[in-house]
Amino acid sequence: MPDVHLLVLIHGMWGNPSHLAHASKIIHEVKGEIEDSDVKLEVLVAETNKDESTYDGIDWGGERVAEEILQKTTDLEREGHKVTRFSVTGYSLGGLVARYVIGILHQSKFFETVQPVNFNTMATPHIGIPRFPSTFSAISTFLGPKLLSRSGEQFFCVDKWSPRGRPLVECLASLYHPECSPSIHDTTVPYVTSGISAEDPFGEYQKNGIKIDFHEKYKHVIKSYSVAPSSSAMTEEEPRSWAGTIRSMRPQLPPRFQAEFPLNVAVYALLPILVPTFICLAFIRLSFQSHKSRSRLRDLEAHSTRDRLIHIIGKLESELESAVVDLYDAPAGTPIPTSPIPGASPGDTTSSIAPTKEKDKKSRSKPPPYQPLLTPGQLQCIENLNKIPQLKKERAFFEGVRNSHAIIVCRDPKMFKHHLEGEGVLRHWADHFKL
């Protein structure tokens, strides 16, 4: 029997395995039936961290998925198969969970016998959910951590996850170097966080003279883009990495509320009633689910017996503190390293954990409405992640849709046919997947 290449797909917030069913279908079509291959592709669509469980945080979600992976590996071995290669693709929150899972698997020595091959993410908030200079963003930043339990706190980087009080997203950016495939601008996960960039060159794509060249084979996937020299936006041509989206400038009702005449008239007439009712119901549901999650987390913390990844992080931070104390106690004239970031050269002063004055000034200046108000911690995450040698970014551009976050993975094509617009992104991902 051939060796097994295990690919794990991880869905996002409020998600379930059906959200990645189309992605699983595409990868099976492209890589699942390759003749003359000595490796068999096995796809695991993670399901232990679904629906209400996604409120419980990146860390507990990662713990569940890691156990599911180890169990799947054991089951395959009992069937006479041996997992020798491993890949993971995460969508939205699933991308952050995937990064955490890699740490757990490394801790458990999984990669001593299994070769890691592909790590991809789509529409993932790698630096958390940034705040924008708008009232809606301010409200979201205030309510998100309260209504989304532990996941909300981690999304908005207000958690004190590590023993030294650092947010989990910042710890992931400083300790792990994944090969990412972030997305660009959608209304759920903005470009700056999925594209790991301090600026959004697509924020005013209708005004800044940006020129976009699309892949001929993959619909909506950007091959290269450039901004007019007179524009203050960055100029770049990079036909690499994985998928993102851009929000539409044309407002429209959600698909479920769209109808032909005369039903559309009735829908618009009922909006003053439907909108407040929907907001109240959503608020009640989120509050209820958040309360259940916090209760569930207390039980999980109380009954956790084995060393989790957070305990390893605590040991590392203690070692770092000891190293700092040793530096203060060192004799005069002892050279002090300036770059604690893994992989950076000791003489690289630009890699210091402490933000520079220029970064502080940049984070305090008020950007245009489409540019984020990034914190020093988020700027440091961007710097750390962009130092990854294997990092590749791909971008996708969806114009004329209300929100492309679901479209990018064809999340629910049976109910919303327009979700199939994202199939070019999935084909690009599958074609470039290394078996």
Side-chain angles (χ1 to χ4, degrees):
M1 297 296 290
D3 291 343
V4 170
H5 185 156
L6 180 62
L7 166 62
V8 181
L9 304 180
I10 309 176
H11 59 71
M13 189 72 191
W14 303 294
N16 59 71
S18 68
H19 288 178
L20 294 175
H22 203 75
S24 178
K25 173 178 175 288
I26 295 296
I27 195 67
H28 272 114
E29 287 179 4
V30 177
K31 300 292 185 181
E33 301 297 334
I34 297 179
E35 297 182 359
D36 302 325
S37 175
D38 57 353
V39 178
K40 174 188 174 184
L41 179 67
E42 181 78 26
V43 179
L44 169 65
V45 185
E47 60 178 32
T48 55
N49 188 52
K50 63 183 180 181
D51 301 326
E52 297 177 8
S53 297
T54 58
Y55 285 81
D56 296 348
I58 299 164
D59 45 353
W60 279 110
E63 295 283 347
R64 293 187 184 112
V65 174
E67 289 182 6
E68 192 173 354
I69 292 169
L70 295 174
Q71 184 61 51
K72 180 66 173 179
T73 303
T74 301
D75 292 343
L76 287 169
E77 289 178 353
R78 288 173 181 168
E79 297 171 6
H81 303 286
K82 182 173 178 58
V83 176
T84 58
R85 297 165 73 83
F86 176 83
S87 295
V88 60
T89 295
Y91 162 62
S92 194
L93 167 66
L96 292 172
V97 172
R99 289 170 59 188
Y100 197 92
V101 164
I102 294 298
I104 297 175
L105 294 179
H106 176 74
Q107 174 192 349
S108 64
K109 304 186 186 305
F110 179 80
F111 295 117
E112 289 186 0
T113 57
V114 179
Q115 178 185 354
V117 184
N118 305 278
F119 184 99
N120 308 127
T121 65
M122 297 183 183
T124 291
H126 287 288
I127 65 168
I129 302 297
R131 180 176 173 180
F132 288 81
S134 69
T135 302
F136 176 79
S137 182
I139 294 174
S140 300
T141 302
F142 176 75
L143 292 178
K146 296 175 174 58
L147 297 179
L148 300 181
S149 187
R150 190 182 186 95
S151 292
E153 294 172 355
Q154 293 171 354
F155 272 145
F156 291 93
C157 300
V158 298
D159 61 308
K160 296 182 179 180
W161 181 79
S162 80
R164 293 175 60 198
R166 297 175 64 204
L168 174 56
V169 168
E170 290 187 18
C171 291
L172 287 177
S174 61
L175 293 174
Y176 304 121
H177 281 192
E179 180 182 354
C180 306
S181 51
S183 69
I184 65 174
H185 208 331
D186 64 35
T187 55
T188 303
V189 177
Y191 172 78
V192 291
T193 184
S194 59
I196 315 177
S197 172
E199 295 180 342
D200 180 3
F202 300 92
E204 285 191 319
Y205 74 96
Q206 294 174 321
K207 299 178 181 179
N208 65 2
I210 192 170
K211 295 181 179 180
I212 301 175
D213 182 22
F214 291 96
H215 274 282
E216 298 81 4
K217 184 178 178 181
Y218 308 105
K219 188 177 181 181
H220 297 299
V221 177
I222 297 175
K223 181 163 63 174
S224 63
Y225 71 90
S226 60
V227 181
S230 59
S231 171
S232 59
M234 57 188 283
T235 300
E236 181 173 345
E237 291 191 8
E238 183 189 63
R240 300 185 299 170
S241 42
W242 254 286
T245 58
I246 186 161
R247 66 186 175 195
S248 167
M249 297 300 178
R250 185 181 71 195
Q252 48 180 253
L253 287 174
R256 294 186 183 184
F257 293 99
Q258 296 176 18
E260 300 294 333
F261 182 84
L263 291 178
N264 62 337
V265 176
V267 170
Y268 280 105
L270 290 172
L271 281 180
I273 299 175
L274 291 174
V275 172
T277 301
F278 175 78
I279 292 175
C280 289
L281 291 175
F283 187 87
I284 292 171
R285 178 176 173 78
L286 289 172
S287 300
F288 177 70
Q289 296 296 352
S290 181
H291 176 74
K292 287 182 62 177
S293 171
R294 295 185 190 282
S295 176
R296 188 164 55 245
L297 287 168
R298 285 193 292 270
D299 291 338
L300 288 171
E301 296 284 355
H303 295 93
S304 177
T305 55
R306 69 180 182 86
D307 259 5
R308 291 165 46 222
L309 190 59
I310 185 173
H311 303 139
I312 305 300
I313 302 300
K315 293 176 183 177
L316 290 174
E317 290 193 332
S318 297
E319 291 172 4
L320 181 62
E321 286 181 347
S322 298
V324 172
V325 171
D326 291 342
L327 287 175
Y328 278 111
D329 293 339
T334 303
I336 298 177
T338 57
S339 180
I341 299 175
S345 61
D348 183 5
T349 58
T350 62
S351 301
S352 176
I353 287 293
T356 63
K357 292 182 179 179
E358 291 182 3
K359 287 182 187 174
D360 286 335
K361 183 178 180 180
K362 185 173 183 179
S363 64
R364 289 195 300 268
S365 61
K366 185 176 181 180
Y370 58 86
Q371 297 291 1
L373 301 168
L374 297 178
T375 65
Q378 288 172 326
L379 289 170
Q380 190 64 61
C381 287
I382 291 172
E383 181 178 333
N384 291 351
L385 292 174
N386 279 311
K387 287 179 179 289
I388 302 171
Q390 304 94 337
L391 178 67
K392 298 181 180 179
K393 302 178 187 179
E394 292 287 351
R395 300 160 178 85
F397 188 108
F398 296 87
E399 189 173 15
V401 297
R402 184 179 59 87
N403 189 347
S404 54
H405 190 67
I407 295 175
I408 195 170
V409 291
C410 305
R411 198 168 71 187
D412 192 359
K414 292 183 178 179
M415 182 171 290
F416 307 113
K417 291 184 178 180
H418 68 284
H419 281 192
L420 288 173
E421 285 289 309
E423 187 164 308
V425 173
L426 293 180
R427 294 280 177 188
H428 186 279
W429 160 70
D431 284 346
H432 291 80
F433 183 90
K434 296 180 181 179
L435 187 61

